[in-house]
Tab-separated table of all heavy atoms in Angstrom:
chain	number	residue	atom	x	y	z
A	254	ASN	N	87.727	99.254	73.617
A	254	ASN	CA	87.315	99.672	72.282
A	254	ASN	C	86.744	98.463	71.535
A	254	ASN	O	87.480	97.556	71.131
A	254	ASN	CB	88.510	100.264	71.523
A	254	ASN	CG	88.089	100.958	70.253
A	254	ASN	OD1	87.156	100.539	69.567
A	254	ASN	ND2	88.773	102.048	69.920
A	255	LYS	N	85.430	98.434	71.369
A	255	LYS	CA	84.775	97.270	70.781
A	255	LYS	C	85.143	97.078	69.314
A	255	LYS	O	85.205	95.954	68.825
A	255	LYS	CB	83.261	97.395	70.920
A	255	LYS	CG	82.790	97.346	72.372
A	255	LYS	CD	81.271	97.409	72.455
A	255	LYS	CE	80.803	97.325	73.907
A	255	LYS	NZ	79.320	97.389	74.025
A	256	SER	N	85.375	98.177	68.591
A	256	SER	CA	85.727	98.047	67.180
A	256	SER	C	87.061	97.341	67.000
A	256	SER	O	87.264	96.618	66.015
A	256	SER	CB	85.774	99.436	66.533
A	256	SER	OG	86.758	100.242	67.154
A	257	ILE	N	87.987	97.549	67.935
A	257	ILE	CA	89.277	96.861	67.861
A	257	ILE	C	89.146	95.415	68.321
A	257	ILE	O	89.678	94.496	67.703
A	257	ILE	CB	90.325	97.614	68.702
A	257	ILE	CG1	90.575	99.018	68.128
A	257	ILE	CG2	91.640	96.828	68.762
A	257	ILE	CD1	91.563	99.835	68.929
A	258	MET	N	88.425	95.200	69.419
A	258	MET	CA	88.329	93.862	69.986
A	258	MET	C	87.450	92.930	69.149
A	258	MET	O	87.508	91.713	69.316
A	258	MET	CB	87.790	93.945	71.418
A	258	MET	CG	88.683	94.728	72.367
A	258	MET	SD	90.387	94.118	72.437
A	258	MET	CE	90.144	92.510	73.200
A	259	ASN	N	86.634	93.475	68.250
A	259	ASN	CA	85.832	92.626	67.361
A	259	ASN	C	86.689	91.937	66.308
A	259	ASN	O	86.293	90.915	65.754
A	259	ASN	CB	84.738	93.450	66.688
A	259	ASN	CG	83.614	93.794	67.654
A	259	ASN	OD1	83.387	93.096	68.639
A	259	ASN	ND2	82.909	94.889	67.375
A	260	ASP	N	87.845	92.525	66.038
A	260	ASP	CA	88.797	91.889	65.136
A	260	ASP	C	89.540	90.801	65.914
A	260	ASP	O	90.276	91.093	66.849
A	260	ASP	CB	89.781	92.925	64.596
A	260	ASP	CG	90.714	92.359	63.538
A	260	ASP	OD1	90.719	91.125	63.359
A	260	ASP	OD2	91.445	93.138	62.907
A	261	GLN	N	89.361	89.557	65.538
A	261	GLN	CA	89.885	88.445	66.313
A	261	GLN	C	91.408	88.477	66.396
A	261	GLN	O	91.992	88.225	67.448
A	261	GLN	CB	89.423	87.112	65.714
A	261	GLN	CG	89.808	85.900	66.542
A	261	GLN	CD	89.253	84.617	65.972
A	261	GLN	OE1	88.590	84.633	64.938
A	261	GLN	NE2	89.529	83.515	66.633
A	262	ILE	N	92.054	88.793	65.270
A	262	ILE	CA	93.518	88.812	65.257
A	262	ILE	C	94.039	89.950	66.131
A	262	ILE	O	94.968	89.764	66.932
A	262	ILE	CB	94.033	88.961	63.815
A	262	ILE	CG1	93.602	87.749	62.977
A	262	ILE	CG2	95.545	89.106	63.800
A	262	ILE	CD1	93.966	87.844	61.516
A	263	ALA	N	93.426	91.119	66.008
A	263	ALA	CA	93.850	92.251	66.838
A	263	ALA	C	93.589	91.984	68.314
A	263	ALA	O	94.389	92.358	69.177
A	263	ALA	CB	93.119	93.518	66.393
A	264	ALA	N	92.488	91.317	68.605
A	264	ALA	CA	92.162	91.006	70.001
A	264	ALA	C	93.195	90.070	70.612
A	264	ALA	O	93.604	90.252	71.767
A	264	ALA	CB	90.772	90.384	70.080
A	265	VAL	N	93.639	89.066	69.841
A	265	VAL	CA	94.660	88.141	70.347
A	265	VAL	C	95.971	88.888	70.606
A	265	VAL	O	96.642	88.660	71.628
A	265	VAL	CB	94.875	86.990	69.363
A	265	VAL	CG1	96.069	86.135	69.774
A	265	VAL	CG2	93.627	86.132	69.272
A	266	LYS	N	96.353	89.787	69.714
A	266	LYS	CA	97.580	90.559	69.888
A	266	LYS	C	97.494	91.451	71.122
A	266	LYS	O	98.459	91.561	71.894
A	266	LYS	CB	97.852	91.403	68.638
A	266	LYS	CG	98.194	90.600	67.397
A	266	LYS	CD	98.449	91.516	66.222
A	266	LYS	CE	98.787	90.729	64.967
A	266	LYS	NZ	99.023	91.620	63.798
A	267	ILE	N	96.348	92.092	71.306
A	267	ILE	CA	96.194	92.982	72.465
A	267	ILE	C	96.200	92.181	73.758
A	267	ILE	O	96.814	92.594	74.755
A	267	ILE	CB	94.894	93.808	72.322
A	267	ILE	CG1	95.037	94.818	71.185
A	267	ILE	CG2	94.573	94.535	73.623
A	267	ILE	CD1	93.792	95.629	70.928
A	268	GLN	N	95.548	91.029	73.766
A	268	GLN	CA	95.533	90.199	74.972
A	268	GLN	C	96.929	89.689	75.302
A	268	GLN	O	97.321	89.637	76.486
A	268	GLN	CB	94.570	89.019	74.787
A	268	GLN	CG	93.103	89.402	74.791
A	268	GLN	CD	92.649	89.998	76.117
A	268	GLN	OE1	93.220	89.733	77.170
A	268	GLN	NE2	91.606	90.810	76.064
Side-chain angles (χ1 to χ4, degrees):
N254 191 325
K255 294 183 179 180
S256 61
I257 296 178
M258 298 305 293
N259 286 335
D260 186 350
Q261 186 176 1
I262 297 176
V265 172
K266 293 180 180 179
I267 291 177
Q268 289 297 334

